[in-house]
Structure formats: C-alpha cells, structure tokens
Amino acid sequence: MQQEFRNQLERLRQQFAASLPERAHRLEEIWSHLRHLNWSAQGIAALQQFAHKLVEAATSFGFPELHQAALQLENFITELNELGRSFGGLEYAQLEDHVEHLSQIMAATAGGKALQAPLPSIAIKNSEETQGKTIFLIDPDRILAALCSAYLRNAGFTVEHFDNPQTCMQQLYLDSPAAILMDPDFERSGMQALGSLHQIKSLLTRDTPILLMSGRTDVNAKLRALRAGSSDYLTKPLDFDFLVEKLINIITLHTKVQRVMIVDDDPAMTSLQAEILRYAGMEVLCLNKPLHSLQQAAKFKPDLVILDMHMPDINGMELAVLLRQDPEFLLLPIIFVTADTDTNLHKSIKALGVNALLTKPFEVAELINVCEQALADTSALKNRVARVTRQAQQPQQLNRSYFFSALEDELQNNSLGNQNSALYYFSIDKLEELSKQLGQVALLDLHDQFCRRLNETAGSDEQWIDLSPMVACVLASKRSTEFHRQRGEQFVKHLSSQAYSTKGKSLSLEFKLGVASLEHALGTANNALLRAEQAFEESINGTTPINNTTANSEKNLPDFSQVVFSRDLTLAFQPIISLEDAHIEHFAVLTRLRGEDGEPIAAGQFLSRLTQPGKRVELDRWALQQAVSAIAENSETREQATLFIHLAEETLQQSAFFSFAANVLRSSRLRGDERLVFMLEESWIINHFHQAREIAKALRDIHCGICITRAGENEQILSLLEDLAFNYMRLSPKLTSDATNPKLLERLITSATGRGIKVIATQIENSHNLSSLWMQGVRLFEGFFIQPPDSAFHLQNDIIFAKEFVQGSSFNSSQ
C-alpha cells in the first residue's frame, strides 16, 4: 500500500514538473506587464504572489533548487517593499536577474535536470478517526490539490476536490462533508473568496468546520479569515502530517458527544438540567448522593461537572476541591448552579477557578451556552498545556523546530559534575553508493524500517528525528561519558542486528555512530550537529574521536562585532500561560541573531561577544522598543499583554534607561500598570542588593514590574523577599524539573503567594509535575515553544504534540 502511495506521489511530482513551462509563460506575462505599466503596485504584488505560490509548490513536490530560486525572488521584493525603495535603476537589474534565474531553474526542472528531494511519506495511517469522513477541498491549483488529496486519502479520508467555491456549493445541496478545506487566495483576487464563506455556511446542515489554508502570513489575512467564520487558518506550504492531525482534532471536537455529570441532592433539579443538556446533544449522568460523585467520576470520565452549592454531607466547594486534587481532573471544567445570592459566597466560588456560576432560576439557553463555552475553553486550554509540557511517558519523534529548540536548551544548561547530555548521530558507511544502487524508492523503504527500529530502541528520556534517508539523531539526557558510549553501542547493535528487506530481498546493514557531548562551548545546535557528524565520520575512518568540542565551536562561531540591530537581529516571544485563563497574556521577550543559514541563534551564544562600550544598552533599548511596538500594533494583545524583558548588567547601571522606558510606554497605545516587567537574576540581586532595591523603586515609579528569575538556587533569597517588592517570581528549572529540593520549593511558593507575588514555573517535563505545582499554588507556566513576532501572538493554529498529550496524559477526561 505504501509503495502504491509513493508511486502516486512520484506521478504527481512529474505532473507538476510538466506544468512548469505553462507557469514560466505566466511569469513572463507578469514580467512583461510590469515593464509596460511602469511598475504598478498591482504588478509587483502579482509577481510576489506568483513567487510565493511557486515556493509552496516547490516545497511540497521536493524541488529544492526551484524552491530557493522562487524564495530569493519573493524575499527580494519583500525587502524592497519594507525599505520603501523604488524598483528602478540597480533594483530593476537585480530583479530582472532574479526573474531570469527563476525561469532557468523552471526550465531545468521541467527537463528533469534539477535536484529532487525525497517526498515525505505521511506518518499517519488509516484509522477509525478518518474512515467514512469526507473532506471537501477547494483549491484552484489542480496539481497541488491532487497532492493534498493523495495524502488525505492515504490517511483514510474521502476527498472531493473543487476548483472554486461555486461548484462546491452546488455539491452541498446533495452532500454534507465532515470538514471543508479551502484556499481563498485565488490568483488576482487576493482574499476575495472569503465572501463565499458565508454562503457555504448557510448551506451546511450541521456545524461543519471550515479550515482556510493560504500562503498569506500577515495578521490581517488571518483575522479576516477568522471573522469570516473559519474554524482555523493554516499557512502554506502545508505539513501534511500536521494537516491530518488538525483535521482529526477539529472533526472530533465537532462530532464528539460531551459527557456531563450533574451533582445535586434535589432529583427534580438534576432531571430538569439533564433534559436540557440531552436536548443539546450531551450525554448526562445525574447523581443525587454527593459522596458517591468521586467514585462515579472515575468511572464516567466526565468532560464537564455541574455542582450545586448546598448539599448534605459535603458542599459543592468542598467537592470541587476534591475533584481538582485528582490529576486526572485538574483541568475538568466545573459550573456551579445555586439559588444562594450571597455575593461573598459567589466570590469564594469563583476563586476556585470555576468556569461559570449560574443563579437559580436560569434560562434554558443560558445553561446550554455556559456549558458549551466551558467545554470550548477547556479544549483550547488542553492544547496550550500540551505545548507547555514535555511528555516523558513515551519516546517521540519530534518535528525539527522542537528538536533543535530542545537541543539549544540542553546546550544552555550547565553540566552537572561529569555528566552531560549527548547527541547521537546514526547512519551507514557508503550511503551514497547504496542510494545509487537501490534507487530512491527502495531507499525510502529502508528508511521507514530504520525509523521503526530506532523508535523501538529509544527510551522515555530520549528524543529523535530523522535528518535524511538513513540518517537520524537521538538527543539523550545527562549521563556519564561511559554511559553514552555504551548506550550508543546498544542502539547500533539493535539497528544492525536484523536484516532489512527491499525488493523482496534481504539486506544486511552495518550502522555507525558519532557522539557529541553537549557542552556549553559548542554554542549552537548546528555546531552540536556538526560535531556529531564529524565523530560519525571518524568512526567510519577508524580514527579515535578527539575531544575538540571547544575548538570546533569557536571555529564555527560567526563574528558578531558588526551586528546591525534592524538588519541582523529579530525578536521572538515565549508565551507564559495560565491554567485559569483562556487568554495568554504574558510573553518573555527573546533576542535572536539571524545566522548565515537563516536559523535564529539564541542570545546566549552571541551576547557575550558584543564587547563594544554601550552596545548592550543600545541593544536593550532596541529590544524594548521593538517588543512594545509588536504588542501595541496587535488589537488582541494591546489591552492585556505583559512583556517580560531581560536587561544586561551594563543597562542596569544606567538610570537614564528607566526614563527611556517610561517614554516608550507613554508614546505607545499601551495602558495600565505593569505592562512591562523587567527580569533580574537571583544571583545578581543577592550580590547587588542595594542597587536592586533602587531599581525596584525606579520601576514602581514608572508603573513597571519586577521579576526575579532562577529563584531558588540560593536559599538566601527567602529573606530578601521581605525587603524587595517583587511582582513575579520565575522558579529555577532545577526546582521544577529535577525536584532536587522539594522543601525549598514549597517554602518559596508559600512565601511568594503569601505576599501576592505571582509564581512562574519553567521547563516542565510532564503534565503530572505541572499538576503538582498547580496544587502548590503555581498559576503561570512558561513553555518550551517559541513564537516568532510575525505570528502576532495568534496561538490557536498550533497543536504541536496536542494529540500525544490528549491521548497519553492524565488530563484526558474522555478515555
């Protein structure tokens, strides 16, 4: 079956290549149109859109040279637009070179002379979640639509493709799909097809989700799509594994029968509520004996609980606390229904973090609405929690961005004694010869077998990715050098012990291993990968690997002496989520350097090399202005978001900086206190206590907040909490991840919460640990995921690891 699927993908790739002469003719039309109409804005936009769509297609069909040529053209136009420069003179000649180069690559690709990358095969197989589900796909590009359809059908969906919304609407009179996938960005019409969304929704006989997919990444396009009634917005080129996961997730959300448990000692009241909710399509369990509710909840696995306040033996608040103490029900939505109108009682109930409180009597529609809203909010919350924790229950193959982010984290952590994390690099000798001998199709089949064996061998504290056919890396946790050597040999033995099969024949493969110890001196994930690859090559050549980590890392570090902020630097944002609020309101601001390969380099690898006097102060000013502008320009964050910003010690010496910060706030559209929170490390505060106290006073004067970071690495900080007015405390990862000192952790949290200091936990490894911290009083959690600024803080599209989390964690209340 998989072989047939790969053959189908290859046929579609050839069809795309055959369509390139026609697309090249379209490029020539746009270019000619531009020159004759004296560089109209519409012509430039059409050329940029053409290049972007070609980037999408080249990525999807595995033509790296075509992708690069189209991307160069698109980026060149983008840069000129951002700089506000005209398209005449030198710019005209450069643009013409890009267009001619793209035309040449298109011709070479059509002629079969261009490099081809392996087409990724989908990881998700047919399942009950996809069987019998029909997807309507609306996309004007027939070849890209055929590729998307092939992946969806391979996953088990039935797909019907339509060139335009009108033909889809005709079919909606006859059939109702499980979901609609639509590209509204038709050529020459921008996002005009969004107008059809309302017509499509009016023809649907049920609440069918509509997902929009487009190459447009700007906030306005996303906002228009969501306001038009779409359930989600996906950016092209699509990750087809992600697309299938998203469709399964959103279809399940729309079709699942929600379970509601009602606890009230009045049988008449439970019967009334049950009838209302059953009418709304929910499954209901009524309990009139409150003391039995905990036992019944463990069996029924409710998605929502409705509690009365005043009941015999145990009241509603006590029952809610007991339910939430079970990690399985930590995120369980709870609604109180009571006839008591005491305002103080209502405040106490809401302080529990319940989803809603209804006062008897209530309207039928009111009960249904609050239940549906509570279920929707909790579903979104589970997705966010999935992104803020690392699941340690089972080994995982990760997407590359997450893997390299985890690798960067490991490089930043100080080594403990003689123990370090390590990167294992696996492949075989003479891989290129084997590829030529077998061909790409057979090599991909071997690669699937290789990945399955690697996954079987990886432990719960090991994460892995495949880099290319028959090449993979494993990230292993902190152990001794000897342990990593033995562990790597175990991998090699398992990978090589059994024969592989291809084309009906048995084939023996001998795998080799390269190990890179993740020392801080390596600097970047790319350097760590390079070192592991060098160790692999040394193992092939039979030479003894030399421990030259430091030399290699220093050699590969770029020169940061001439960094230009607006050109070379960018910002990223690390969301800090609350388990009690559906909105993400807190963001840590991170500075990133654009590397030569386009990969963002973390601040820890380059800030120490900015040695010019005043450069760090200048950098902090730039970062502050850029971060404030980012949230002030976005309507969703302007009124509520809080920014956490690190400052260099050099900046802390400059009293004028805080006046500068006050002016930035005054000139922005941000309103309210503590919209900016400045982060100071615990060790610095202890060593500079008097200066820290002066800084805290200066920050209060300009209505900014202060956060102590890495709190708990020194017990001395407990006494300082009484003398310094902190607003936030960011716990040391040593306390939250390794649980090395649970007594100190408890004392810190108790002391902080007693003084009104909000506690933030970082680097949470699994949901059970998160549950424990929540019960101790921690309400804010900083995740491992990083957000680029161009995503405008819109987090709804990202469900990385959501399925693994919902299926495997203790928060799942639907099993």
Side-chain angles (χ1 to χ4, degrees):
M1 189 67 181
Q2 285 298 311
Q3 185 61 52
E4 293 178 7
F5 177 51
R6 289 198 185 92
N7 292 340
Q8 183 183 12
L9 296 184
E10 193 58 42
R11 287 194 297 270
L12 289 171
R13 170 148 64 182
Q14 297 310 316
Q15 289 179 23
F16 169 73
S19 74
L20 286 175
E22 181 181 348
R23 295 173 189 254
H25 179 68
R26 172 62 182 149
L27 173 61
E28 179 57 34
E29 283 184 347
I30 296 174
W31 181 240
S32 177
H33 182 80
L34 257 180
R35 289 176 293 181
H36 287 100
L37 291 184
N38 195 25
W39 304 98
S40 67
Q42 295 86 349
I44 292 294
L47 182 61
Q48 187 176 22
Q49 184 186 34
F50 176 90
H52 184 83
K53 284 187 172 292
L54 201 56
V55 170
E56 297 171 14
T59 302
S60 299
F61 286 105
F63 290 107
E65 293 176 334
L66 182 61
H67 162 87
Q68 186 63 28
L71 185 62
Q72 288 173 352
L73 174 58
E74 181 189 12
N75 288 342
F76 182 74
I77 297 174
T78 300
E79 289 173 5
L80 288 184
N81 284 330
E82 289 177 349
L83 294 172
R85 291 164 62 180
S86 67
F87 288 84
L90 178 61
E91 289 77 13
Y92 170 85
Q94 291 175 324
L95 185 58
E96 186 173 38
D97 288 342
H98 282 299
V99 172
E100 289 180 358
H101 177 61
L102 178 57
S103 297
Q104 293 170 0
I105 297 297
M106 292 174 76
T109 305
K113 300 177 182 179
L115 178 66
Q116 296 185 10
L119 283 169
S121 58
I122 200 163
I124 298 171
K125 306 298 188 295
N126 287 336
S127 66
E128 294 181 1
E129 296 170 305
T130 60
Q131 289 298 322
K133 305 293 193 305
T134 299
I135 307 296
F136 280 8
L137 173 61
I138 309 173
D139 194 324
D141 192 320
R142 288 178 174 271
I143 299 178
L144 274 173
L147 181 67
C148 183
S149 298
Y151 277 99
L152 293 179
R153 290 186 179 115
N154 184 69
F157 289 110
T158 300
V159 183
E160 293 190 38
H161 171 241
F162 306 93
D163 291 308
N164 56 70
Q166 287 68 36
T167 54
C168 176
M169 285 187 279
Q170 293 174 7
Q171 186 63 27
L172 286 174
Y173 286 103
L174 306 175
D175 191 12
S176 182
I180 296 176
L181 189 60
M182 174 180 173
D183 186 342
D185 197 7
F186 289 84
E187 191 176 359
R188 301 178 184 173
S189 67
M191 301 285 283
Q192 298 304 316
L194 282 176
S196 306
L197 216 58
H198 297 288
Q199 298 174 354
I200 291 175
K201 291 179 74 70
S202 67
L203 295 174
L204 296 170
T205 57
R206 59 183 180 182
D207 187 19
T208 303
I210 302 176
L211 287 80
L212 298 184
M213 53 180 185
S214 171
R216 295 275 299 273
T217 59
D218 55 288
V219 178
N220 288 333
K222 296 179 180 181
L223 191 58
R224 287 181 61 191
L226 294 171
R227 287 176 176 173
S230 67
S231 300
D232 215 324
Y233 185 99
L234 307 177
T235 303
K236 287 185 172 181
L238 297 173
D239 179 325
F240 293 107
D241 276 335
F242 177 83
L243 173 62
V244 172
E245 290 278 13
K246 169 64 75 174
L247 285 169
I248 291 174
N249 180 278
I250 204 165
I251 290 171
T252 301
L253 182 64
H254 281 71
T255 58
K256 179 190 173 193
V257 176
Q258 303 287 355
R259 296 182 175 187
V260 181
M261 186 173 79
I262 304 174
V263 184
D264 195 322
D265 61 310
D266 186 345
M269 181 55 67
T270 56
S271 297
L272 172 62
Q273 295 175 24
E275 286 302 314
I276 294 172
L277 297 180
R278 288 184 181 121
Y279 172 79
M282 302 179 191
E283 182 181 348
V284 183
L285 172 66
C286 297
L287 296 176
N288 302 123
K289 296 182 179 180
L291 287 178
H292 294 174
S293 55
L294 293 175
Q295 182 180 3
Q296 291 298 318
K299 295 179 181 178
F300 183 62
K301 306 291 186 185
D303 300 300
L304 171 71
V305 169
I306 299 176
L307 300 178
D308 184 30
M309 178 56 205
H310 299 293
M311 298 181 291
D313 300 323
I314 185 171
N315 64 44
M317 290 181 64
E318 293 168 337
L319 184 54
V321 171
L322 290 176
L323 278 169
R324 288 277 177 82
Q325 284 180 351
D326 186 338
E328 183 174 6
F329 298 125
L330 175 62
L331 299 185
L332 179 68
I334 297 177
I335 295 174
F336 269 80
V337 177
T338 179
D340 198 324
T341 58
D342 185 346
T343 55
N344 289 327
L345 176 65
H346 285 198
K347 289 181 181 178
S348 299
I349 292 174
K350 291 177 180 178
L352 294 174
V354 300
N355 294 72
L357 190 154
L358 288 179
T359 304
K360 303 175 186 177
F362 50 81
E363 297 292 333
V364 170
E366 188 178 9
L367 177 62
I368 295 174
N369 288 340
V370 295
C371 288
E372 291 178 343
Q373 186 62 52
L375 290 165
D377 289 346
T378 303
S379 175
L381 179 59
K382 286 182 178 180
N383 276 345
R384 295 204 314 276
V385 172
R387 300 170 68 226
V388 84
T389 59
R390 281 180 176 172
Q391 290 306 94
Q393 286 82 12
Q394 55 185 355
Q396 324 179 48
Q397 180 185 14
L398 306 177
N399 66 44
R400 294 192 180 193
S401 62
Y402 189 93
F403 183 90
F404 284 104
S405 175
L407 185 53
E408 294 278 6
D409 286 342
E410 292 295 337
L411 287 167
Q412 289 304 299
N413 291 334
N414 293 326
S415 60
L416 301 176
N418 62 344
Q419 294 191 343
N420 272 8
S421 303
L423 185 66
Y424 305 163
Y425 185 101
F426 297 101
S427 188
I428 58 175
D429 191 7
K430 300 179 180 178
L431 178 57
E432 187 174 350
E433 295 180 14
L434 181 66
S435 175
K436 292 179 180 179
Q437 178 184 348
L438 297 178
Q440 282 295 320
V441 173
L443 188 66
L444 288 174
D445 188 35
L446 286 180
H447 182 68
D448 286 344
Q449 299 173 55
F450 164 55
C451 288
R452 284 196 297 271
R453 294 186 188 181
L454 188 59
N455 193 56
E456 292 168 358
T457 316
S460 61
D461 60 345
E462 296 166 333
Q463 301 167 328
W464 66 276
I465 58 167
D466 54 334
L467 299 175
S468 61
M470 305 304 290
V471 179
C473 281
V474 173
L475 178 58
S477 59
K478 288 183 174 66
R479 293 290 191 276
S480 66
T481 302
E482 178 61 20
F483 175 91
H484 286 308
R485 185 190 65 79
Q486 294 180 5
R487 181 62 177 139
E489 290 177 354
Q490 289 176 353
F491 271 102
V492 169
K493 183 177 179 180
H494 181 80
L495 294 172
S496 307
S497 60
Q498 301 177 22
Y500 291 75
S501 61
T502 178
K503 298 181 180 179
K505 297 181 180 180
S506 181
L507 182 66
S508 295
L509 297 176
E510 182 180 354
F511 280 85
K512 298 289 186 179
L513 165 70
V515 179
S517 179
L518 298 182
E519 300 173 4
H520 184 78
L522 278 170
T524 68
N526 285 337
N527 287 336
L529 183 60
L530 175 63
R531 181 66 195 105
E533 187 175 4
Q534 289 172 342
F536 166 78
E537 292 172 352
E538 290 166 354
S539 69
I540 290 178
N541 297 328
T543 58
T544 303
I546 301 173
N547 187 7
N548 56 355
T549 299
T550 304
N552 274 297
S553 63
E554 289 297 327
K555 182 178 66 176
N556 289 284
L557 281 173
D559 179 14
F560 300 117
S561 60
Q562 301 298 323
V563 166
V564 177
F565 296 152
S566 58
R567 182 193 68 196
D568 302 319
L569 297 179
T570 185
L571 294 183
F573 298 88
Q574 192 160 20
I576 303 170
I577 75 165
S578 166
L579 298 189
E580 297 177 340
D581 194 329
H583 299 286
I584 294 179
E585 299 181 344
H586 302 82
F587 299 87
V589 180
L590 309 176
T591 306
R592 294 288 184 263
L593 177 73
R594 296 187 180 97
E596 294 181 359
D597 56 359
E599 290 292 323
I601 299 173
Q605 278 91 62
F606 72 89
L607 286 185
S608 61
R609 298 169 67 87
L610 293 175
T611 57
Q612 303 96 316
K615 197 70 171 179
R616 288 298 304 275
V617 178
E618 185 184 349
L619 172 60
D620 284 340
R621 286 176 173 246
W622 175 84
L624 175 63
Q625 286 182 306
Q626 294 293 316
V628 169
S629 297
I631 66 167
E633 292 173 2
N634 182 271
S635 59
E636 295 183 10
T637 56
R638 184 185 308 137
E639 303 299 326
Q640 59 191 21
T642 298
L643 291 176
F644 288 72
I645 299 179
H646 296 265
L647 294 179
E649 184 167 353
E650 182 182 353
T651 304
L652 296 174
Q653 310 292 337
Q654 303 283 332
S655 58
F657 177 84
F658 300 105
S659 299
F660 169 78
N663 290 330
V664 170
L665 278 175
R666 277 195 294 269
S667 61
S668 73
R669 290 184 287 176
L670 303 183
R671 297 295 180 266
D673 292 345
E674 297 174 20
R675 303 301 301 278
L676 288 180
V677 177
F678 293 95
M679 306 173 79
L680 305 179
E681 285 201 8
E682 177 188 85
S683 59
W684 187 89
I685 292 175
I686 292 174
N687 295 326
H688 304 79
F689 175 72
H690 296 293
Q691 185 180 351
R693 188 160 52 186
E694 292 299 317
I695 289 173
K697 182 180 182 301
L699 291 174
R700 285 196 300 272
D701 291 342
I702 62 174
H703 307 289
C704 291
I706 187 169
C707 173
I708 178 172
T709 69
R710 307 191 73 84
E713 295 188 354
N714 190 314
E715 293 193 27
Q716 186 180 345
I717 196 62
L718 283 166
S719 61
L720 298 184
L721 290 179
E722 300 178 2
D723 299 318
L724 281 176
F726 298 117
N727 305 95
Y728 295 88
M729 174 188 289
R730 189 168 171 263
L731 297 171
S732 168
K734 293 181 180 179
L735 291 180
T736 57
S737 296
D738 302 334
T740 53
N741 194 338
K743 291 184 178 179
L744 175 59
L745 176 63
E746 182 180 356
R747 290 170 61 196
L748 265 178
I749 295 175
T750 301
S751 180
T753 53
R755 291 173 170 80
I757 300 172
K758 298 176 184 177
V759 182
I760 304 170
T762 67
Q763 299 188 19
I764 307 303
E765 295 293 333
N766 59 63
S767 55
H768 294 285
N769 196 9
L770 183 145
S771 170
S772 173
L773 289 166
W774 190 87
M775 294 304 301
Q776 292 182 67
V778 178
R779 292 296 180 265
L780 296 173
F781 297 87
E782 182 177 288
F784 288 92
F785 56 103
I786 304 294
Q787 232 184 301
D790 58 5
S791 63
F793 308 97
H794 184 68
L795 304 174
Q796 296 177 2
N797 288 345
D798 196 346
I799 58 167
I800 297 174
F801 308 125
K803 184 175 182 184
E804 288 83 356
F805 177 83
V806 172
Q807 287 183 344
S809 79
S810 60
F811 290 118
N812 182 14
S813 58
S814 61
Q815 290 180 345

